């Protein structure tokens, strides 16, 4: 089955700096890669996703890059703000078949210091 | 915007007791999921449900677990005889169709087994 590795497990940055979180996946059939933000005690919320036919996607201060050959994808947050502090999870999914379950990484606790 | 809802938000139970966790997926969604998250760990897939039957289940989802969609709106997870290690946050999720559509998560039920 799919295995997703995520690094780093914790990341502390100063407000205004950039943050980068990296994930690798094992199943070359995976073709959909969402990123979720989870604040303490809350549900995971989708912040951005990327399909395997795209190498990069950007939404304001957030961008995701995908390298299918190397089987890794990254989340980039620019101009970080204290409200970006949360746990970020990457995930992978194969969008064929009939299941569409997500396999998650272990999460990165991002702390943005004012 | 429609949301996945879950009840109860918190449940405390004694070891060996049965618990039922309830979810109301988004109304036009067709694929339903339960995930769990042990405190401080990643979100783990438990089971997926489509067309009134289980489409996949993980190793965690043993004979003590069952799911039902009794009335076309609710989606329940039953744990027959709870164990201490079942203590976790349980998230319900749903997708409208398959493919690369967004999986929406409920707010979770925090289960504590004493």
């Amino acid at each position: 089955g799919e295995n997703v590795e995520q690094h780093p497990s914790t990341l502390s940055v100063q407000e205004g700096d950039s943050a980068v979180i990296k994930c690798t996946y094992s199943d070359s059939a995976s073709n959909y890669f969402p990123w979720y933000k989870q604040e303490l005690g809350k549900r995971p919320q989708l912040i951005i996703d990327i399909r395997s036919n795209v190498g990069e996607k950007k939404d304001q201060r957030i961008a995701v890059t995908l390298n299918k050959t190397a089987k890794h994808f990254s989340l980039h947050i620019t101009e970080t703000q204290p409200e970006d502090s949360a746990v970020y999870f990457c995930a992978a999914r194969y969008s064929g078949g009939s299941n569409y379950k997500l396999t998650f990484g272990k999460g990165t606790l991002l702390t943005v210091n004012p | 915007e429609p949301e996945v809802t879950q009840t109860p938000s918190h449940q405390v139970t004694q070891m060996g007791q049965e618990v039922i966790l309830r979810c109301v997926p988004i109304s036009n969604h067709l694929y339903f999921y339960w995930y769990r998250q042990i405190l401080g760990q990643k979100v783990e897939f438990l089971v997926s449900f489509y067309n009134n039957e289980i489409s996949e289940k993980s190793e965690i989802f043993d004979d003590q677990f069952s799911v039902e969609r009794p009335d076309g709106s609710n989606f329940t997870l039953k744990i027959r005889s709870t164990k201490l290690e079942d203590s976790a946050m349980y998230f319900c999720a749903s997708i409208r169709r398959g493919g690369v559509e967004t999986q929406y998560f409920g707010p979770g039920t925090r289960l504590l087994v004493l």
Side-chain angles (χ1 to χ4, degrees):
Chain A
E2 176 64 276
N3 183 48
V4 177
E5 298 287 339
Q6 182 172 348
H7 300 280
S9 56
T10 60
L11 180 59
S12 182
V13 299
Q14 289 299 120
E15 183 176 359
D17 287 351
S18 295
V20 180
I21 302 170
K22 298 182 179 182
C23 289
T24 60
Y25 61 99
S26 61
D27 188 350
S28 56
S30 290
N31 56 2
Y32 172 67
F33 307 94
W35 286 88
Y36 285 84
K37 176 183 180 182
Q38 186 180 33
E39 296 175 357
L40 190 62
K42 303 280 184 68
R43 76 184 80 194
Q45 297 265 25
L46 180 75
I47 55 170
I48 196 166
D49 56 18
I50 192 166
R51 277 70 168 168
S52 62
N53 58 348
V54 174
E56 184 173 356
K57 182 177 177 181
K58 191 171 181 181
D59 182 5
Q60 299 182 342
R61 296 186 297 108
I62 294 173
V64 57
T65 58
L66 171 65
N67 183 326
K68 282 178 57 180
T69 304
K71 295 208 280 281
H72 67 69
F73 56 113
S74 301
L75 177 70
H76 305 252
I77 306 174
T78 59
E79 300 170 28
T80 52
Q81 301 165 3
E83 51 265 38
D84 294 329
S85 296
V87 178
Y88 290 80
F89 290 97
C90 62
R93 183 172 91 197
Y94 170 56
S95 296
S98 60
N99 185 350
Y100 316 116
K101 68 176 183 184
L102 290 170
T103 301
F104 286 85
K106 290 188 175 181
T108 296
L109 174 61
L110 173 64
T111 304
V112 180
N113 301 299
Chain B
E1 185 178 329
E3 287 189 330
V4 177
T5 60
Q6 288 184 244
T7 54
S9 58
H10 294 80
Q11 173 101 42
V12 181
T13 190
Q14 296 291 323
M15 190 169 58
Q17 295 296 304
E18 174 183 287
V19 296
I20 297 176
L21 310 183
R22 292 183 167 79
C23 168
V24 179
I26 296 172
S27 63
N28 61 350
H29 284 197
L30 300 178
Y31 296 82
F32 314 110
Y33 304 84
W34 284 100
Y35 293 84
R36 80 169 185 191
Q37 186 179 32
I38 295 171
L39 189 64
Q41 298 188 22
K42 67 176 175 180
V43 178
E44 299 175 287
F45 168 77
L46 289 179
V47 65
S48 57
F49 192 86
Y50 170 71
N51 201 27
N52 286 317
E53 61 182 19
I54 291 173
S55 49
E56 185 172 341
K57 56 187 180 180
S58 72
E59 294 172 353
I60 304 166
F61 194 89
D62 61 23
D63 292 344
Q64 293 301 314
F65 290 86
S66 62
V67 289
E68 269 191 332
R69 187 161 161 78
D71 56 13
S73 62
N74 290 286
F75 179 50
T76 62
L77 174 68
K78 182 193 289 186
I79 309 175
R80 256 181 281 281
S81 178
T82 50
K83 303 188 284 282
L84 296 176
E85 53 265 38
D86 293 329
S87 295
M89 179 75 98
Y90 289 80
F91 291 105
C92 174
S94 67
I95 301 178
R96 186 166 62 101
R97 296 178 300 181
V100 295
E101 295 210 5
T102 300
Q103 194 159 126
Y104 293 92
F105 284 78
T109 294
R110 184 167 294 286
L111 176 65
L112 178 61
V113 182
L114 301 176

